[in-house]
Each structure stands twice: as C-alpha cells, then as structure tokens.
Amino acid sequence: MAAKSYNISELDNKLADRRYHLADSNPEFTQKILKTSRTIANMCYQCGTCTGSCPSAPRSSYRIRLFMRRCVLGLENESLTDPDLWLCTTCYSCTDRCPRDIAPTDVIMAMRNLAFKRDIIPKNFLQTVQLIYNSGHGVPNNDVNRAARTKLGLPADPPTTHTYAEFIPGIQKIIDHYELKANADRILKGD
Amino acid sequence: MAENTEPRIGVFLCHCGTNIAGSLSIDDVVNYAKTLPYVAVADQYQYMCSTPGQKKIDDAIKEHNLTGVVVAACSPRLHEPTFRTATREGGLNPFRFEMANIREQNSWVHMHGMWDEATDKAKDQVRMAVAKAAKLEDLIPKSVPVEHAAMVVGAGVGGMQAALDLASAGIKTYLIEATPTIGGRMSQLDKTFPTLDCSQCILTPKMVDVGRHPNIEMMTYTEVENVEGYIGNFDITLRKKARGVLTPTEATAKGIVGGGCNGCGDCTDVCPVIKPNPFEMGMAPRKAIYIYHAQVMPLIYTVDFDSCVKCGLCVEACGEKKAIDLEMQDEFITVKVGTAIIATGFDLIPIEGKKEWGYKRFDNVISSLEFERLICASGPTGGHLIRPSDGKTPQAVGYVLCAGSRDNTGGVAKPYCSRFCCMYSLKHAHQMYEKIPGCKVYLFYMDIRSFGKAYEEFYYRIQNEGAKFIRGRVANVLEDPETKNLHIFAEDTLLGRPVDIEVDMLVLAAAIEPKEGANVLRKKFGVSASQDGWMLEAHPKLNPCGTTTAGVFLAGVCQGPKDIPDTVAQAEGAASAASIPIHMGEVELEPYFAICMEDLCAGCGMCVNLCPYSALALIEKEGRTVMQVTEAKCKGCGTCGGFCPGGAIKMQHFTTPQIAAQIDAFFAGGVQ
Amino acid sequence: MHEYAFFLGCIAPNRYPGCEASAIKTSEKVGIKLLPLKGASCCPAPGAFGSIDLNVWYAMAARNLVLAEEMKKDITLICNGCYKSIWEVNHILKHNDELRDNVNEVLAEIDMQFKGSIDVWHLAELYYDEKICGVQKIKDSVTTPLTGAKIAPHYGCHLMKPQKERHFGDTENPMWFEELIAALGCEPVQYRNKMQCCGAGGGVRGYDIVHALDITNEKLINVREVGADAITEVCPFCQLQFDRGQIEIKEKFGDVYNIPVLHYNELLGLAQGMSPQDLALDLHAIDCTPFLQKVL
C-alpha cells in the first residue's frame, strides 16, 4: 500500500499509520542480538516475568518485555531509539526468573552495543571511557582521598595504574584497537 | 523358496509424498539400485504403504520370482509390519523383507540444501539393505499361550476403569495399589470441571464396583517387586506390605472366625501417635493406625510401622476380632498374568523449589491440591475455606497458573504444559465465588488452555462470574510480616503495566511429574521414559496405549499429563488393547532369538550372566555342557552373540554374515 | 596463609579507602594474605563498558586477569561490580574459544595473553568458605562484638546473579551473608524485598539520577521499616549509592534517613578492634557516630 501523506504535519502525525508492517522488521537485528547476547532471545513467549521483576518498571515506562518482543520481531529502530533502553540497572532479576531460561538483561546489553554503533549513547557512559583512557580508573583518585589514604597508612595512590602509570599506554592501545576513545570524543563533541 | 538359487531382490523406493522425494532424487536411487548385484527389479511409488504400493511388492515377487524385498521408506517402527505382510502376500516368508530408513535417518535430517548428499546417502542405505536382503533366511515365529489374567498397577480413576473393563470382559484382573486405599488423586478432589460434579460422588460408586467385582482381585498396600517373563506369561512378584491389620478373609484363613477388621475405628481412637495425614496434604492429623478418609476401599485400617510405638492399645481395643497383628511382616506372592497395564499417575512437583513464589516460606501460599482439600466438604475444615496463617476466610485470592510448567530453567521446573491446571484453577475461582460471596479472585496466566469439550464455555462462565484474569506470569511474591498478606508482583502484559496486588492467599497451580517410584516400576516392566520423564508410548499417535514391551500398556497420567476424561478414555483403550492377546489365547513372538550352535559352544557360561533377560542357561547335553536359550524370554538384543568368544551364538535375522554383508557393502561403496 | 592478588577496582581505593584498609587487615587475621595487583585498572565498569562494546569490556578485564596470571595467584576483590567484570570475563573466556581468540588477538598488541590459569573470588565468599576461612573463624577473630546493632544486609546483584552462571545458589532469599553478619555479634534483620537492586547499576546512576535514587529510596524505606541501625554490603558501588544517595535523596526528594552504610570489611574491622579512624569512616556521607556509640 502506498504511504499516505496529507502534507499537513498535524494530521500526518495524528493519523500516522500505526500498523506493524513487514518492512519494519529486520531479521538480522535478531541475529545480531543472539550473537552478542549469547542468549536465546528469539524464544521469548511474553509472559512478563521480566517486567514483573524489574526495579525500573514501576517508576518508568521501561518495559523489558517490550524490548524482548521487539527483538523477536526484529524491530531495530524502535528498540535502539527508545530512551528507555538505558533504564536497565542490569540487576539480572529478570534473568534469574525467566521461565524460558533467556537472559533479558544480556539482550538489553546487546541492544545498547548496537545503539552505540549508531552513535546512540548517553553521555555519562562516554565520560567513563575518557576517564579510564586517561587514568585507568573510571572513578579516579583525588586529593581529599589521598590525604585520607595516607592517614590510614595506605600509599597516597593505590598500587594500580595510579602508581604504575607505565601500564596506561597498554590500556589505551586496547581502547584504541576498538576506536572507542575516538568515537567517544567525536560523539561528545557533536552534542 | 529354494536356498541354493542366486538371490533375486526387489527394491522399492517410497516418495512419502514430498517427505522423501522433496529432499533427494528418487529416480537416481532407483536407477542406482538397478545396478546393484542380485537386484532383479527396482521401482518407486508415491506411498508404498498404500494398497497400490503394497500390490507392487506382491506382483513383483510373483513376476520376478524374488527371494528378498527391500523397501526404502520410513522407519521400520512405522511400516515394517505393513511390508512384511505384503511380502507374505506375494508368497515369500515375511522375514525375507529388509527396510532402509531413508526418511527419519535421511530426508528429514538433510532437508535443506543437501540434495546430492542425501541422494548419495540413500544409495548407501539401499546398497546395504540389498546386501542384507540377499542373505536373509526364512524364519518361523513361535506361538505361546496367553495366561487368562491381567494386572493393573495403580488404582486411581484410570487404573480402576481399566480393571473394571478387563474384569467385565471376563478376565481375572489383579488391581495393585501402593497406598492403603484405591481412588487415587481423584478422591482428593472436591469438584470436577467443567460439570462441577462432586468428585467423590462420581468416584465412590466406581470404587464400590471395583471392590465387589468377582473378577477383580484388589490388592491395596501392595507394590510390584519383580517382573519376569514376556507377553502372555508374565510372572509378577508382589510385595504385600505389612499392614498390621487382617481383613476378615485373612482372619478366617487364620482360624479367627468372625474376626478381622470391620472398619469400626476403635483402634484409632485409642492410638496415642499423631502424624500428618498425607491424603489431607498434611493439613489434618491421623493416628499410627489409620484410614485416609471415610470412603476408603477397602475399609481396612493400616498400621504405619514407621511411627507405631507398639503400645498395644489398639490390639486391646480391637478385642475378639483379633484384627491387629503388630508383628506382621511383608509378604511376597507371585501371580501369572498375560498382560499388564501401568496406571501410576502423578505427584505435584515440590513447588518450594521455585523460591520466588515463597511456598513453604510464606504461610498463605498453598498448592492447588491443598486448596482442593481446604474447599472440600470432606476435607480437614469441612469445606470452610480458611487461610493457614490465622484461620480467617480469605477475601482475595490469587492463582498462579503454569507454576513450574512451561518452564525451561530445570531444577524442579518442567518444560511441558501440565494440561489440567488452567481448568482446575477456573474451577477454584468458581468455588471461591460459590463459597465466599463478594470475594476477589485473580488468575495470573500466560495462556488459558481450555481445549476440552465444554471447557471454553466454562472459561466464559467463570469470567462472567467476575474472576479477573491477569495475563502475566508472577515474578515474585512478598509477605507482609504483620498481616501475612501477600503482595503479588507481575506484569499485566495486556496493559503493559507492572502490578502489585495484595491478596490474603495465593494458590500455586504446580506442575506435575511422574509419581515417586514410577521410574523404578517402569524399568521392571522394561518400559522406557520419554525425554520429559513420562512413560513412553509405543507410538504417540497410532499406539498411545502400548509400550515397546509387548503386553504392557499405559493408562492415564503416567504416560503424560491428562485430565479425568482423557485418563478414563485412555484406560478403556489400554484395557481393550490388553484384552486382545488374552482373548486370542496365544501370541506370536518375533523370531529374533539367539540360537546356540552346540558344536561350537564350549560351555563357558559367560553369556548366561550377561543376558539382561535371564533367557540363557547351561545344560548338560550328550555329556557336554552347552548353553540353551529360552526362546520366549530372549529379546534378541545380541549381547550374548556379540560377546561369545567361540562365535557359537547365532542371532536370528541379525546373523554375522548378514551384518558383515551390510558393512562390506557400505565400505565397498559405488557399483559392485 | 592463603595468598591472593587483591584487585582493588576504583571506588574502594579512591572513595572509601577504609574498605581497602580493612580488607587487608581483617583478612590477614583469618589467614588470608592480600598481595597488591600492580598496574590493575578499572575492572572496567560493567554497566558503562558493557553497554558500549562488550568486546572492549572482555579485553580490558582480560588485561587485569593476565596481571594476576603472571603473579600465578587467584584474584580476590571486594566489589560486586568488579566481580561481574573480572569473574565473569574469566569464566566466559575460559569457556568460549572464539571470544578468547578475539581477546588474545588484541592482548598480543601489548604482549599479553589470556591463559585462563587462575580463578576469581569475592573476599566475602572466601570468608564464608569453610575450606579457606568459614564463619567460625570470623567469629573467633572478633574482639569487640558489635552487640545490640540491627544490621540490614544488602547482597547486591552482580555477585550472585545470574544464578545459573554463578555458584551461590538461591538468589530469592539467601542467608549466607546473614551468617557472616551474625558472626560479628550483631543482629541481621530481614526486610521487605531485600534482594532488590540498589538502583545504581547499568549506568542508570549517571543516566537518570532521580530514577536510580527512587529505587534506592524504596530500599531505604524498607530498611527503616524494620528499624535497622545500619546497612552492610559487599560492594563499594552499592555503598556509594546508599551512602551518598541518602544526601542526594534529601536534596532531591526531601526524605531523610541517616542510616549508616558500611562495607562488611569495615564492619568486620570494627569487630576486630580497628578504630573508626583506621577505617576512615569520616569519609562516609552519612555520619556513623550514633551507630558506633551503640555498638562500641
């Protein structure tokens, strides 16, 4: 059926076709999720145990069951552009209770990986990347803490990359291998 | 057929519609078969099992003077008997037939994009079958007489029905029950769906019929100890567990005239030991000398020797009837039957294993069978539904359907549908509205499977009565420590909203599993289990009552979850199937038994110990020790033949030359 | 003495150094020696890195694992988030050839190779493990029993879940942490929904702070309901969420709890006679003084 358009944005919005068409589905999306999540995401039968277990569901519009459904149907756009994708605390309660033995949490992680490939990612995630790239730590040391450490008889900096900075280039090499830092910088600059 | 002539083999390829022809080239295989040694004719047909297909075999045997027939089609489990008959119709010994399974073992597993490979594999299979067919011999099946008696193991509604049918068909029937009374699970139920008949009211007359049928020998508190023999001639040893109480008949036999248990119950009144009654799911007490409930059949008390303190008060109370014998021991008796039916039923899974629902952790989370007893007029509360924590009448009750069913996580959970939980939960909802006006009922479901006759209408009725159906599986349950009320967390998937529903009581429609001990029992009868743990029928569609052990049949839930109508129907089917060999009077045994070639046998006897069927023995013959096969006991498994160091054992229809020819044909490959 | 490479992570050494100091000192008293894992980095944060690119997460965690492989020591750690990264990546790479090969390709660039030669343990599980330490040994090490205190246990998520891949058993109502707490002389209390998440994980704390705090708040309500004097956990990130979270909750929602939040190692340190100063409890956002007065 030809797409309709009334050329009146208000009407086009109000009367937009809400049906689900085959063209909305990308079977490859399901396959990619299966591979990345390493769980049988295609086997969901929509019982809702996941949402019922989810600490985020009662306080938001986030429905993990809905993402599972989108995964089964290959609804890539709808999955990756939904801001609720980032409300999973990865508590794995759904995974422990899923009667199909699926790990919905890992499906969410796989979708987030795929979203990042399309530059869809909350800023705070990228800031963590930058911190680790520069110091090896996602939560680096600070002066107040150094003073406290000294008082406890600990070295001012822990025996991690903070003390052994010679390990940082290796870490940067790993991150650069995946071009993560460059992408993070680029996406953050674009914001 | 003369043995010394050159073999002449006919090969027939079956298309099986597109089941086979859709995955490999039938023409190629037929043309290839024509090039094989001894092949006199090769042909094909769309459905070889059809009448025209079978006629092709019949005609070809006559026209080409064949000595052997090969059909390349489906599994021999399905159609070997069909083609053997066709072979016999054509004038050959039916064991001159060999089957190549090019469907289950070829086309079905190589369905996509493997046309050439599948065709080559079919050629290999046909070549091997032809090689064997060239060496097949005439075999004559033996007939054995069938004992005019049957046994039914398990006296629930299925076992009772099967026993009644067999007995009414004039067959002496032993009805074996492990617990002290017949009746089974159905006697624990209050009402039955969708008709709402009182379960006891429709079951008790049947129990009475069983008790007084002249052809039924009812043996309660009895278990199968050992099974020997084969169809027509099973020798089954029974363990009559020490009941501690004599029936009037047993008393009379011991010379206590007019004695034995008359069910008066004086003994139980004086017994000082109190234990939970398993019939009431532990929610009511019983004594160490007890009956399960008032309607037991037979009305004979039983001593629980695990908890009896042997104080002797009951013996005193029983007085002159002298029915109680606290020193009674288990007895073993052996009976001979022609056929047997297993009807052992089910248990609920230990649903406490699904920790998120809090069974055994929260007082007011109960199982569906506990609910049955609590709502049952003859139950521990006289049918007044109360909740365990405080004895109050619950005003809001939740039901978790698929509690451990359709659950692939392992542990106590079961991947299958338990098939009757939807319907009894609907019934429970109805009973709530019937007994507690104004109550609230929430059913948490994934799908409502109301597939039976008048079931969907029952669903409609319950919805109309006000039950709230929430389409979502319960994620977890929390208890309010003060009120002991329960909070049910789930998603109403149709609303797309998480729910937190507070109820007074929660009923778990727990999945079912084979009765404890069923696995041990089925092995005694040589019955397999399917992957899900239930007993395996001979064919899921065409032989649902039979098993792979000839003469042993299945009835009811032991074969897979079923409701009462399906159980009774299968029981009648099993009874009918079990009566056929008995009425025929004799059965033919497959001639696949081992034969000892006595001149080669050194009499070492190693095979005797290896035989899983106790079919072999050493005998003295003409001054030598040789092995002898009891043909009727031998199942032709080949264990002895494979082991015999002297090569003295011939496995009929699977002889060393026949198998060697198949192996040679496989390795030789191509055109020979 | 059982020796382990001590993987620090970020929040323990850089925000709650008392966790690090107490881990080193308390473990030594029960026969566990913690050796510095030199050059370790962030685990890296499973929520952030896992969400961006699991392959980077595997490789970065593998680098930390290789450092310990080179020491020929099993790793122990005191943070559930670190456990998720270090234990799980170790487990995955040991069992998945394809992923291991991919990771080793990257590690080869920095002359490292993941061999899968060590195991990873949370210090709390070593404490509970009869073969290493056990509850009785913890009990025996206590010099100052923390009597009179009601403690709400918070297990956290990533130590025990997903249950199938871990080895801690039941995740609906576990009781082993309660045993460890009771060993210190205090009373572990049960509260509504004790296995619920703290709210911080998966990057949600950074992405939508009020959402994360609302989850935390629900837990705090449940903890207050049973009159707990303090919360204890085995994860500095959960600790941060409960401790600093209470200040943020006060700011954003106006709710005030003042329930101190202590890592189990800090609690154990107190019970073994360490002073509050030895534990830098003054760095906690919620004042521990009333609690300390009650138990010491």
Side-chain angles (χ1 to χ4, degrees), chain A residues 85-160:
Chain A
L85 178 61
W86 307 92
L87 284 179
C88 170
T89 67
T90 69
C91 77
Y92 282 91
S93 295
C94 54
T95 301
D96 268 7
R97 292 180 184 148
C98 173
R100 277 292 208 210
D101 221 1
I102 307 171
T105 318
D106 291 335
V107 172
I108 293 296
M109 295 303 270
M111 284 186 179
R112 287 180 178 184
N113 277 213
L114 293 170
F116 174 68
K117 289 199 162 75
R118 287 169 53 167
D119 287 1
I120 304 169
I121 181 101
K123 263 193 255 176
N124 62 298
F125 290 77
L126 299 177
Q127 285 152 356
T128 309
V129 174
Q130 291 179 324
L131 287 168
I132 293 179
Y133 191 85
N134 293 327
S135 70
H137 280 288
V139 182
N141 208 353
N142 59 34
D143 286 338
V144 177
N145 194 63
R146 279 189 195 96
R149 290 182 62 88
T150 316
K151 256 182 26 197
L152 294 179
L154 295 169
D157 276 308
T160 59

Side-chain angles (χ1 to χ4, degrees), chain C residues 102-163:
Chain C
N102 291 347
V103 160
N104 276 333
E105 214 171 279
V106 182
L107 289 183
E109 291 177 27
I110 55 170
D111 300 320
M112 277 184 157
Q113 192 198 3
F114 174 86
K115 294 194 181 71
S117 55
I118 60 154
D119 287 322
V120 179
W121 310 91
H122 196 296
L123 187 55
E125 72 178 303
L126 296 179
Y127 283 162
Y128 191 71
D129 188 341
E130 295 290 338
K131 294 189 291 294
I132 306 294
C133 170
V135 175
Q136 188 57 45
K137 214 165 178 181
I138 294 283
K139 212 173 197 171
D140 295 343
S141 76
V142 170
T143 55
T144 318
L146 308 177
T147 42
K150 286 173 146 185
I151 307 285
H154 171 78
Y155 282 80
C157 299
H158 293 139
L159 178 60
M160 297 174 67
K161 294 189 270 188
Q163 182 185 352

